[in-house]
Amino acid sequence: MTEQSLLSPPAPPETRRRPALILAIILTCQLMLILDATVMNVALPPIQAELGFSRTGLSWVMNAYSLVFGGFLLLGGRAGDLFGRRRMFVIGTSVFTVASLAGGLATSAELLIVARIAQGVGAAMAGPSTLALIATTFTEPKARMRALALFSAMASGGFAIGLILGGLLTQWFTWRAVLFINVPFGAAIALLAPKFVPEPERRRAHLDLPGAITGTAGVASLVYGFIRAAQEGWGDALTIVALAAGLTLIATFLTIERRARQPLMPLRLFADRNRAAAYANFFFGPMAMMSMFFFLTQFLQDVSHFSALATGFAFLPMAAVLFTVTRLVSRLLPKLGPKKMAAAGTAAMVVGLTWLTQLTPESHYATGMLAPMILMGFGAGFAFSPLNILIMGTVPAEDAGAAGGVLQTLQQGGATLGLAILVTVFGEATRGIGGGPETILVTGMTTAFIASALIAACTFAVAMTFRASDRP
């Protein structure tokens, strides 16, 4: 990767006046969107108790957001190219903010799911523009690398920070506060962005609606099929139909993208070996990690009897390690290269998840969970933080919106599909077994961690395909 490849047209004059404020606005939005993928985890037990979700149906509180967010990100990226990235950034943030308010006021499971879907729509509109605005605003190579490294810290650290924040708000107030907290920050972003964030030059584009419909419907069908399998078993006819339809729609989506004049997911983005590997790991990594967040929050509260606040703080060591590592990425990546960093990080993830398969109802946090969490924090920081730089550092300006959309689509899609698969594994492992609720939960989650470790092993295999000689 050469320095020249990182250069883009000169930044507008206003970006040189307040670059720190511009970056703060963009990163705050990104953090808010990522937080909502995990901030609800700690609040799941009180949500289940108040609104009457089933154990497997509870995953829809997470999946309703991640599914729509991931499913419409490609369309949101192309819409930014067509209607203006700053405009989509502001509109998306506004939709997300209003939906957060509605979710906090929800009085039934159905209303909460609808609000989470609306949050996902807003996030899909704003999300691709965060990366695209960084790529087009910070054009000097070192400044762009620093900005992308900070973006990586927000994107990766946000998952763990969401658990801590969710614990604080749930304990001090109510689970509804984890949604209300978005309102002041979202409103501030929507008001400040039009004044300070520059609007990049708009390029001619059109919306690939067939691609958007088939891609989103395909992922939704797969997720629904896996979750239904957890509830009804693999012999259920609707489960089989949903999975078959999902695979067919995904194949149709790829065919459409290969032939479209302006595809939502330009396949040329995968032509570079390192960028293709980075995209693959952005899919497998969240797929492996989401099980840890989803199941450990329930284990800590339902088995170890931690409060919501204590559960949130239980993830603090992991968040601290992850954030520290991501701060070092811009210095380490030029020296070590992506292959060594990704291999070390993914190996740590495999070890951490394998360790968690040994949990029992008698396991203690200090001896059974702390070390695996630290390994996961180190692993996520090393394995995934450099990937934003690898993907966005060389992408042409005209593909910035699409490249950012693909990146976040794979990240959210992996998290959503992974959680659906692992909930299915949980359901199959606990079907018909005896014992109390604690025994059932631990049996199911440790089996799910075995599956997560296997998925993490896939990220290690992909990491070994990076070119060892490349340096940003």
Side-chain angles (χ1 to χ4, degrees):
M1 190 183 301
T2 65
E3 184 169 282
Q4 180 62 35
S5 67
L6 295 175
L7 296 176
S8 295
E14 62 267 29
T15 68
R16 292 192 287 267
R17 289 202 297 265
R18 300 197 180 187
L21 179 58
I22 294 169
L23 186 60
I25 293 170
I26 295 172
L27 293 184
T28 300
C29 179
Q30 176 63 17
L31 180 61
M32 185 174 67
L33 301 183
I34 292 298
L35 283 177
D36 249 64
T38 58
V39 72
M40 300 290 285
N41 269 284
V42 179
L44 289 176
I47 289 173
Q48 183 181 21
E50 183 174 335
L51 300 183
F53 282 96
S54 66
R55 177 75 72 178
T56 50
L58 191 62
S59 64
W60 279 109
V61 176
M62 311 303 300
N63 279 336
Y65 175 74
S66 297
L67 176 61
V68 177
F69 186 7
F72 285 97
L73 271 166
L74 294 175
L75 186 61
R78 184 57 73 195
D81 295 335
L82 178 61
F83 300 115
R85 291 167 187 164
R86 185 181 66 187
R87 178 178 296 176
M88 293 302 296
F89 179 79
V90 172
I91 294 174
T93 301
S94 301
V95 171
F96 179 88
T97 302
V98 173
S100 297
L101 179 62
L105 298 172
T107 56
S108 68
E110 292 78 13
L111 289 176
L112 179 59
I113 295 301
V114 169
R116 292 288 281 169
I117 290 171
Q119 278 187 300
V121 172
M125 296 170 72
S129 293
T130 57
L131 267 174
L133 287 170
I134 287 177
T136 56
T137 299
F138 297 89
T139 56
E140 194 273 324
K142 290 184 179 179
R144 178 183 286 186
M145 184 173 288
R146 284 194 298 269
L148 288 172
L150 285 171
F151 181 92
S152 297
M154 292 296 181
S156 300
F159 285 108
I161 294 169
L163 297 169
I164 298 169
L165 182 62
L168 288 169
L169 294 173
T170 303
Q171 181 74 23
W172 289 348
F173 304 102
T174 169
W175 66 264
R176 299 178 186 276
V178 302
L179 292 162
F180 289 145
I181 192 65
N182 293 324
V183 176
F185 288 100
I189 293 167
L191 291 173
L192 292 174
K195 184 175 182 180
F196 295 105
V197 177
E199 176 69 89
E201 179 184 354
R202 199 175 304 175
R203 290 174 169 81
R204 295 182 62 183
H206 78 284
L207 296 180
D208 177 16
L209 289 178
I213 293 170
T214 53
T216 302
V219 174
S221 294
L222 288 176
V223 170
Y224 176 76
F226 280 113
I227 291 179
R228 185 170 178 84
Q231 297 171 323
E232 305 296 336
W234 290 101
D236 178 68
L238 189 54
T239 297
I240 297 172
V241 170
L243 293 174
L247 292 173
T248 302
L249 286 165
I250 293 296
T252 304
F253 166 74
L254 293 175
T255 301
I256 291 172
E257 297 308 282
R258 185 168 59 86
R259 298 175 178 176
R261 182 168 56 89
Q262 286 188 310
L264 292 177
M265 188 175 72
L267 298 185
R268 61 180 176 272
L269 293 174
F270 297 88
D272 179 81
R273 175 173 154 186
N274 272 11
R275 190 185 298 134
Y279 274 134
N281 267 4
F282 255 125
F283 180 75
F284 287 119
M287 182 181 286
M289 287 192 69
M290 285 305 290
S291 66
M292 183 190 65
F293 297 134
F294 183 76
F295 290 115
L296 280 188
T297 53
Q298 295 179 68
F299 180 91
L300 288 167
Q301 293 181 75
D302 295 342
V303 179
S304 298
H305 304 295
F306 279 33
S307 67
L309 180 61
T311 299
F313 274 101
F315 289 88
L316 183 59
M318 185 185 75
V321 171
L322 196 157
F323 188 76
T324 300
V325 170
T326 54
R327 293 286 292 170
L328 299 174
V329 165
S330 60
R331 301 178 194 174
L332 294 176
L333 185 58
K335 297 177 182 179
L336 299 177
K339 186 169 186 175
K340 290 181 180 179
M341 293 187 68
T346 52
M349 287 181 60
V350 174
V351 174
L353 287 167
T354 302
W355 196 329
L356 289 173
T357 64
Q358 304 305 305
L359 287 176
T360 69
E362 292 75 34
S363 295
H364 298 288
Y365 170 76
T367 55
M369 285 170 275
L370 179 59
M373 284 184 176
I374 290 174
L375 283 170
M376 293 297 291
F378 172 85
F382 253 62
F384 306 120
S385 295
L387 303 186
N388 284 310
I389 298 171
L390 285 174
I391 291 171
M392 300 303 297
T394 57
V395 72
E398 61 270 19
D399 284 333
V406 171
L407 185 157
Q408 294 182 68
T409 294
L410 291 171
Q411 184 182 47
Q412 293 297 325
T416 304
L417 188 58
L419 184 55
I421 292 171
L422 295 168
V423 167
T424 303
V425 172
F426 176 95
E428 286 296 310
T430 58
R431 195 181 308 280
I433 69 170
E438 294 184 358
T439 300
I440 293 173
L441 174 62
V442 174
T443 299
M445 65 182 282
T446 51
T447 306
F449 283 139
I450 294 173
S452 293
L454 292 174
I455 296 170
C458 293
T459 69
F460 178 80
V462 172
M464 297 306 294
T465 68
F466 282 113
R467 288 189 296 267
S469 60
D470 273 19
R471 298 289 188 275

Coordinates of all heavy atoms in Angstrom, one line a residue, residues 183-256:
V183 N -31.1 10.1 22.7 CA -31.9 11.2 22.3 C -31.1 12.5 22.3 O -30.9 13.2 21.3 CB -33.2 11.4 23.1 CG1 -33.9 12.6 22.7 CG2 -34.1 10.1 22.8
P184 N -30.4 12.9 23.5 CA -29.7 14.1 23.5 C -28.5 14.1 22.6 O -28.1 15.1 21.9 CB -29.2 14.3 25.0 CG -29.3 12.9 25.5 CD -30.5 12.3 24.8
F185 N -27.8 13.0 22.5 CA -26.6 12.9 21.6 C -27.0 12.9 20.1 O -26.4 13.6 19.3 CB -25.8 11.6 21.9 CG -25.1 11.6 23.2 CD1 -25.6 11.0 24.3 CD2 -23.9 12.3 23.3 CE1 -24.9 11.0 25.5 CE2 -23.2 12.4 24.5 CZ -23.7 11.7 25.6
G186 N -28.1 12.2 19.8 CA -28.5 12.2 18.4 C -29.0 13.6 18.0 O -28.7 14.1 16.9
A187 N -29.7 14.3 18.9 CA -30.2 15.6 18.6 C -29.0 16.6 18.4 O -29.0 17.4 17.4 CB -31.1 16.1 19.7
A188 N -28.0 16.5 19.2 CA -26.8 17.3 19.1 C -26.1 17.1 17.7 O -25.7 18.0 17.0 CB -25.8 17.1 20.2
I189 N -25.9 15.8 17.3 CA -25.3 15.5 16.1 C -26.1 16.1 14.9 O -25.5 16.7 14.0 CB -25.1 14.0 15.9 CG1 -24.2 13.4 17.0 CG2 -24.7 13.6 14.5 CD1 -24.2 11.9 17.1
A190 N -27.4 15.9 14.9 CA -28.3 16.4 13.8 C -28.2 17.9 13.7 O -28.3 18.4 12.6 CB -29.7 15.9 14.1
L191 N -28.0 18.6 14.8 CA -27.9 20.1 14.8 C -26.6 20.6 14.4 O -26.4 21.6 13.6 CB -28.3 20.6 16.1 CG -29.8 20.5 16.5 CD1 -30.0 20.9 18.0 CD2 -30.7 21.3 15.6
L192 N -25.5 19.9 14.8 CA -24.1 20.4 14.6 C -23.6 20.0 13.2 O -22.8 20.7 12.6 CB -23.2 19.8 15.6 CG -23.4 20.4 17.1 CD1 -22.5 19.6 18.0 CD2 -23.1 21.9 17.1
A193 N -24.0 18.8 12.7 CA -23.4 18.3 11.4 C -23.6 19.2 10.2 O -22.7 19.5 9.5 CB -24.0 16.9 11.1
P194 N -24.9 19.8 10.0 CA -25.0 20.7 8.9 C -24.2 21.9 8.9 O -23.8 22.5 7.9 CB -26.5 21.1 9.0 CG -27.2 20.0 9.7 CD -26.1 19.6 10.7
K195 N -23.8 22.3 10.1 CA -23.0 23.6 10.3 C -21.5 23.3 10.1 O -20.8 24.2 9.6 CB -23.3 24.2 11.7 CG -22.6 25.5 11.9 CD -23.0 26.1 13.2 CE -22.3 27.5 13.4 NZ -22.7 28.1 14.7
F196 N -21.0 22.2 10.6 CA -19.6 22.0 10.6 C -19.0 20.9 9.7 O -17.9 21.0 9.3 CB -19.1 21.7 12.1 CG -19.4 22.8 13.0 CD1 -20.4 22.8 13.9 CD2 -18.6 23.9 13.0 CE1 -20.7 23.8 14.8 CE2 -18.8 25.0 13.9 CZ -19.8 24.9 14.8
V197 N -19.8 19.9 9.4 CA -19.3 18.8 8.6 C -19.5 19.2 7.1 O -20.6 19.5 6.7 CB -20.1 17.5 8.9 CG1 -19.6 16.4 8.0 CG2 -19.9 17.1 10.3
P198 N -18.4 19.1 6.3 CA -18.5 19.5 4.9 C -19.2 18.4 4.1 O -19.2 17.3 4.4 CB -17.0 19.6 4.5 CG -16.3 18.7 5.4 CD -17.0 18.8 6.7
E199 N -19.9 18.9 3.1 CA -20.6 18.0 2.1 C -19.7 17.7 1.0 O -19.3 18.6 0.2 CB -21.9 18.6 1.6 CG -22.6 17.8 0.6 CD -23.3 16.5 1.2 OE1 -24.4 16.6 1.6 OE2 -22.6 15.5 1.2
P200 N -19.2 16.4 0.8 CA -18.4 16.0 -0.3 C -19.1 16.3 -1.6 O -20.3 16.3 -1.7 CB -18.1 14.6 0.0 CG -18.4 14.3 1.4 CD -19.5 15.2 1.7
E201 N -18.3 16.3 -2.6 CA -18.8 16.5 -4.0 C -19.7 15.3 -4.3 O -19.4 14.1 -4.1 CB -17.7 16.5 -5.0 CG -18.1 16.7 -6.5 CD -17.0 16.6 -7.4 OE1 -15.8 16.6 -7.0 OE2 -17.2 16.6 -8.6
R202 N -20.9 15.6 -4.8 CA -21.9 14.6 -5.1 C -21.6 14.0 -6.5 O -21.2 14.7 -7.4 CB -23.3 15.1 -5.1 CG -24.4 14.1 -4.9 CD -25.7 14.8 -4.8 NE -25.8 15.7 -3.6 CZ -26.8 16.5 -3.4 NH1 -27.9 16.4 -4.1 NH2 -26.7 17.3 -2.3
R203 N -21.7 12.7 -6.6 CA -21.5 12.0 -7.9 C -22.8 11.4 -8.4 O -23.7 11.0 -7.6 CB -20.4 10.9 -7.8 CG -19.0 11.5 -7.5 CD -18.0 10.4 -7.2 NE -16.7 11.0 -7.3 CZ -16.1 11.7 -6.3 NH1 -16.8 11.9 -5.2 NH2 -14.9 12.1 -6.4
R204 N -22.9 11.2 -9.7 CA -24.1 10.7 -10.3 C -24.2 9.2 -9.9 O -23.2 8.4 -10.0 CB -24.0 10.8 -11.8 CG -24.0 12.2 -12.4 CD -24.0 12.2 -13.8 NE -25.2 11.6 -14.4 CZ -25.4 11.4 -15.7 NH1 -24.6 11.9 -16.6 NH2 -26.5 10.8 -16.1
A205 N -25.3 8.8 -9.4 CA -25.5 7.4 -9.0 C -27.0 7.1 -9.1 O -27.8 8.0 -9.2 CB -25.0 7.2 -7.6
H206 N -27.3 5.8 -9.0 CA -28.7 5.4 -8.9 C -28.9 4.3 -7.9 O -27.9 3.6 -7.5 CB -29.3 5.0 -10.3 CG -28.9 3.6 -10.7 ND1 -27.6 3.3 -11.1 CD2 -29.5 2.4 -10.7 CE1 -27.5 2.0 -11.4 NE2 -28.7 1.5 -11.1
L207 N -30.1 4.2 -7.4 CA -30.3 3.2 -6.3 C -30.6 1.8 -6.9 O -31.5 1.7 -7.8 CB -31.5 3.6 -5.5 CG -31.3 4.9 -4.7 CD1 -32.6 5.2 -3.9 CD2 -30.1 4.9 -3.8
D208 N -29.9 0.9 -6.5 CA -30.0 -0.5 -6.9 C -31.1 -1.2 -6.1 O -30.7 -2.0 -5.2 CB -28.7 -1.2 -6.9 CG -28.7 -2.7 -7.3 OD1 -29.7 -3.1 -7.9 OD2 -27.8 -3.4 -6.9
L209 N -32.3 -0.9 -6.3 CA -33.4 -1.5 -5.5 C -33.5 -3.0 -5.6 O -33.7 -3.7 -4.6 CB -34.7 -0.8 -5.9 CG -34.9 0.6 -5.5 CD1 -36.2 1.2 -5.9 CD2 -34.8 0.8 -3.9
P210 N -33.4 -3.6 -6.8 CA -33.4 -5.1 -6.8 C -32.3 -5.7 -5.9 O -32.6 -6.7 -5.2 CB -33.2 -5.4 -8.3 CG -33.7 -4.2 -9.0 CD -33.3 -3.1 -8.2
G211 N -31.1 -5.1 -6.0 CA -30.1 -5.6 -5.1 C -30.4 -5.4 -3.6 O -30.1 -6.3 -2.8
A212 N -30.9 -4.3 -3.3 CA -31.3 -4.0 -1.9 C -32.3 -5.0 -1.4 O -32.2 -5.5 -0.3 CB -31.7 -2.6 -1.7
I213 N -33.4 -5.2 -2.2 CA -34.5 -6.1 -1.8 C -34.0 -7.5 -1.6 O -34.3 -8.2 -0.6 CB -35.6 -6.0 -2.8 CG1 -36.2 -4.6 -2.8 CG2 -36.7 -7.1 -2.5 CD1 -37.2 -4.3 -3.9
T214 N -33.3 -8.1 -2.6 CA -32.9 -9.5 -2.5 C -31.8 -9.7 -1.5 O -31.9 -10.7 -0.7 CB -32.3 -9.9 -3.9 OG1 -31.2 -9.0 -4.3 CG2 -33.4 -10.0 -5.0
G215 N -30.9 -8.7 -1.3 CA -29.9 -8.9 -0.2 C -30.4 -8.8 1.1 O -30.1 -9.7 2.0
T216 N -31.3 -7.9 1.4 CA -31.9 -7.7 2.7 C -32.8 -8.9 3.0 O -32.8 -9.5 4.1 CB -32.7 -6.4 2.8 OG1 -31.8 -5.3 2.6 CG2 -33.3 -6.2 4.2
A217 N -33.7 -9.3 2.0 CA -34.6 -10.4 2.2 C -33.9 -11.7 2.4 O -34.3 -12.5 3.2 CB -35.5 -10.5 1.0
G218 N -32.7 -11.8 1.7 CA -32.0 -13.1 1.9 C -31.4 -13.2 3.3 O -31.5 -14.3 3.9
V219 N -30.8 -12.2 3.8 CA -30.3 -12.3 5.2 C -31.4 -12.4 6.2 O -31.3 -13.2 7.1 CB -29.4 -11.0 5.5 CG1 -29.0 -11.0 7.0 CG2 -28.2 -10.9 4.6
A220 N -32.5 -11.7 6.0 CA -33.6 -11.8 6.9 C -34.2 -13.3 6.9 O -34.5 -13.8 8.0 CB -34.7 -10.9 6.5
S221 N -34.3 -13.9 5.8 CA -34.8 -15.3 5.7 C -33.9 -16.2 6.4 O -34.3 -17.1 7.1 CB -35.0 -15.7 4.2 OG -36.0 -14.9 3.6
L222 N -32.6 -16.1 6.2 CA -31.6 -16.9 6.9 C -31.7 -16.8 8.4 O -31.8 -17.8 9.2 CB -30.2 -16.7 6.4 CG -29.8 -17.1 5.0 CD1 -28.4 -16.6 4.7 CD2 -29.9 -18.6 4.9
V223 N -31.8 -15.5 8.9 CA -31.9 -15.3 10.3 C -33.1 -15.9 10.9 O -33.1 -16.5 11.9 CB -31.8 -13.8 10.6 CG1 -32.1 -13.5 12.1 CG2 -30.4 -13.3 10.3
Y224 N -34.3 -15.6 10.2 CA -35.5 -16.2 10.7 C -35.5 -17.7 10.7 O -36.0 -18.3 11.6 CB -36.7 -15.7 9.8 CG -38.0 -16.3 10.1 CD1 -38.7 -15.8 11.2 CD2 -38.6 -17.3 9.4 CE1 -39.9 -16.4 11.6 CE2 -39.8 -17.9 9.8 CZ -40.5 -17.4 10.9 OH -41.7 -18.0 11.2
G225 N -34.9 -18.3 9.7 CA -34.8 -19.7 9.6 C -34.1 -20.3 10.8 O -34.5 -21.3 11.4
F226 N -32.9 -19.7 11.1 CA -32.1 -20.2 12.2 C -32.8 -20.0 13.6 O -32.8 -20.9 14.4 CB -30.8 -19.6 12.3 CG -29.8 -20.2 11.3 CD1 -29.3 -19.4 10.2 CD2 -29.3 -21.5 11.4 CE1 -28.4 -19.9 9.3 CE2 -28.4 -22.0 10.5 CZ -28.0 -21.3 9.5
I227 N -33.5 -18.9 13.8 CA -34.2 -18.7 15.0 C -35.4 -19.6 15.2 O -35.7 -20.1 16.2 CB -34.6 -17.2 15.1 CG1 -33.3 -16.3 15.3 CG2 -35.5 -16.9 16.3 CD1 -33.6 -14.8 15.4
R228 N -36.1 -19.8 14.1 CA -37.2 -20.7 14.1 C -36.7 -22.2 14.4 O -37.4 -22.9 15.1 CB -38.0 -20.7 12.8 CG -39.3 -21.5 12.9 CD -40.2 -21.3 11.7 NE -41.4 -22.1 11.8 CZ -42.5 -21.9 12.5 NH1 -42.6 -20.7 13.2 NH2 -43.5 -22.7 12.6
A229 N -35.6 -22.5 13.8 CA -35.0 -23.8 14.1 C -34.8 -24.0 15.6 O -35.0 -25.1 16.2 CB -33.8 -24.1 13.3
A230 N -34.3 -22.9 16.3 CA -34.1 -23.0 17.7 C -35.4 -23.2 18.5 O -35.4 -23.9 19.5 CB -33.4 -21.7 18.2
Q231 N -36.5 -22.7 18.0 CA -37.8 -22.9 18.6 C -38.5 -24.2 18.3 O -39.1 -24.8 19.1 CB -38.7 -21.7 18.3 CG -38.1 -20.3 18.8 CD -38.9 -19.1 18.3 OE1 -39.3 -19.1 17.2 NE2 -39.0 -18.1 19.2
E232 N -38.5 -24.5 17.0 CA -39.3 -25.6 16.4 C -38.6 -26.8 16.0 O -39.2 -27.9 15.7 CB -40.2 -25.1 15.2 CG -41.0 -23.8 15.5 CD -42.1 -24.1 16.6 OE1 -42.5 -25.2 16.7 OE2 -42.5 -23.1 17.2
G233 N -37.2 -26.7 15.9 CA -36.4 -27.9 15.4 C -36.2 -27.9 13.9 O -36.9 -27.1 13.2
W234 N -35.2 -28.7 13.5 CA -34.8 -28.7 12.1 C -35.8 -29.4 11.2 O -35.8 -29.3 10.0 CB -33.5 -29.3 12.0 CG -32.4 -28.5 12.5 CD1 -31.7 -28.6 13.7 CD2 -31.8 -27.3 11.9 NE1 -30.8 -27.7 13.9 CE2 -30.8 -26.8 12.8 CE3 -32.0 -26.7 10.7 CZ2 -30.1 -25.7 12.6 CZ3 -31.2 -25.5 10.5 CH2 -30.3 -25.1 11.4
G235 N -36.8 -30.1 11.8 CA -37.7 -30.8 11.0 C -38.9 -29.9 10.6 O -39.8 -30.4 9.8
D236 N -39.0 -28.7 11.1 CA -40.1 -27.8 10.8 C -40.0 -27.4 9.4 O -39.0 -26.9 8.9 CB -40.0 -26.6 11.8 CG -41.1 -25.6 11.5 OD1 -42.3 -25.9 11.7 OD2 -40.8 -24.5 11.0
A237 N -41.2 -27.5 8.7 CA -41.2 -27.1 7.2 C -40.9 -25.7 7.0 O -40.2 -25.3 6.0 CB -42.6 -27.5 6.7
L238 N -41.4 -24.8 7.8 CA -41.2 -23.4 7.6 C -39.7 -23.0 7.8 O -39.2 -22.1 7.1 CB -42.1 -22.5 8.5 CG -42.1 -21.0 8.3 CD1 -42.5 -20.7 6.9 CD2 -43.1 -20.3 9.3
T239 N -39.0 -23.7 8.7 CA -37.6 -23.5 8.9 C -36.9 -23.8 7.6 O -36.0 -23.1 7.1 CB -37.1 -24.4 10.0 OG1 -37.7 -24.0 11.2 CG2 -35.6 -24.3 10.2
I240 N -37.2 -25.0 7.0 CA -36.5 -25.4 5.8 C -36.8 -24.4 4.6 O -35.9 -24.0 3.9 CB -36.9 -26.8 5.4 CG1 -36.5 -27.8 6.5 CG2 -36.3 -27.2 4.1 CD1 -37.0 -29.2 6.3
V241 N -38.0 -24.0 4.5 CA -38.4 -23.0 3.5 C -37.6 -21.7 3.6 O -37.1 -21.2 2.7 CB -39.9 -22.8 3.5 CG1 -40.3 -21.6 2.5 CG2 -40.7 -24.1 3.0
A242 N -37.6 -21.2 4.9 CA -36.9 -19.9 5.1 C -35.4 -20.0 4.8 O -34.9 -19.1 4.2 CB -37.1 -19.5 6.6
L243 N -34.8 -21.1 5.2 CA -33.3 -21.2 4.9 C -33.1 -21.4 3.4 O -32.1 -20.8 2.9 CB -32.8 -22.4 5.7 CG -32.7 -22.3 7.2 CD1 -32.3 -23.6 7.8 CD2 -31.8 -21.2 7.6
A244 N -33.9 -22.2 2.7 CA -33.7 -22.3 1.3 C -34.0 -21.0 0.6 O -33.3 -20.7 -0.4 CB -34.7 -23.4 0.8
A245 N -35.0 -20.3 1.0 CA -35.3 -19.0 0.4 C -34.2 -18.0 0.6 O -33.8 -17.2 -0.3 CB -36.6 -18.4 0.9
G246 N -33.6 -18.0 1.8 CA -32.5 -17.1 2.1 C -31.3 -17.4 1.2 O -30.7 -16.5 0.7
L247 N -30.9 -18.7 1.0 CA -29.8 -19.0 0.2 C -30.0 -18.6 -1.3 O -29.2 -18.1 -2.0 CB -29.5 -20.5 0.3 CG -28.9 -21.0 1.6 CD1 -28.8 -22.5 1.7 CD2 -27.6 -20.3 1.9
T248 N -31.3 -18.8 -1.7 CA -31.6 -18.5 -3.1 C -31.6 -17.0 -3.3 O -31.1 -16.5 -4.3 CB -33.1 -19.0 -3.4 OG1 -33.1 -20.4 -3.2 CG2 -33.4 -18.6 -4.9
L249 N -32.1 -16.2 -2.4 CA -32.1 -14.7 -2.5 C -30.7 -14.2 -2.4 O -30.3 -13.2 -3.2 CB -32.9 -14.1 -1.4 CG -34.4 -14.3 -1.5 CD1 -35.2 -14.0 -0.2 CD2 -34.9 -13.4 -2.6
I250 N -29.8 -14.8 -1.6 CA -28.4 -14.3 -1.6 C -27.7 -14.6 -2.9 O -27.0 -13.7 -3.4 CB -27.6 -15.0 -0.4 CG1 -28.2 -14.5 0.9 CG2 -26.1 -14.7 -0.5 CD1 -28.0 -13.1 1.2
A251 N -28.0 -15.7 -3.5 CA -27.4 -16.1 -4.8 C -27.9 -15.1 -5.9 O -27.1 -14.6 -6.7 CB -27.7 -17.5 -5.2
T252 N -29.2 -14.8 -5.8 CA -29.8 -13.8 -6.7 C -29.1 -12.4 -6.5 O -28.8 -11.7 -7.5 CB -31.3 -13.7 -6.5 OG1 -31.9 -15.0 -6.7 CG2 -31.9 -12.8 -7.5
F253 N -28.9 -12.0 -5.3 CA -28.3 -10.7 -5.0 C -26.9 -10.6 -5.6 O -26.6 -9.6 -6.3 CB -28.2 -10.6 -3.5 CG -27.3 -9.4 -3.1 CD1 -27.7 -8.1 -3.2 CD2 -26.1 -9.7 -2.5 CE1 -26.9 -7.1 -2.8 CE2 -25.2 -8.7 -2.1 CZ -25.6 -7.4 -2.3
L254 N -26.1 -11.7 -5.5 CA -24.8 -11.7 -6.1 C -24.8 -11.6 -7.6 O -24.0 -10.9 -8.2 CB -24.0 -12.9 -5.6 CG -23.7 -13.0 -4.1 CD1 -23.0 -14.3 -3.7 CD2 -22.8 -11.8 -3.7
T255 N -25.8 -12.3 -8.2 CA -25.9 -12.2 -9.6 C -26.3 -10.8 -10.1 O -25.8 -10.3 -11.1 CB -27.0 -13.2 -10.1 OG1 -26.7 -14.5 -9.7 CG2 -27.2 -13.2 -11.6
I256 N -27.2 -10.2 -9.4 CA -27.6 -8.8 -9.7 C -26.4 -7.9 -9.6 O -26.2 -7.0 -10.4 CB -28.8 -8.4 -8.8 CG1 -30.0 -9.1 -9.1 CG2 -29.0 -6.9 -8.9 CD1 -31.2 -8.9 -8.1

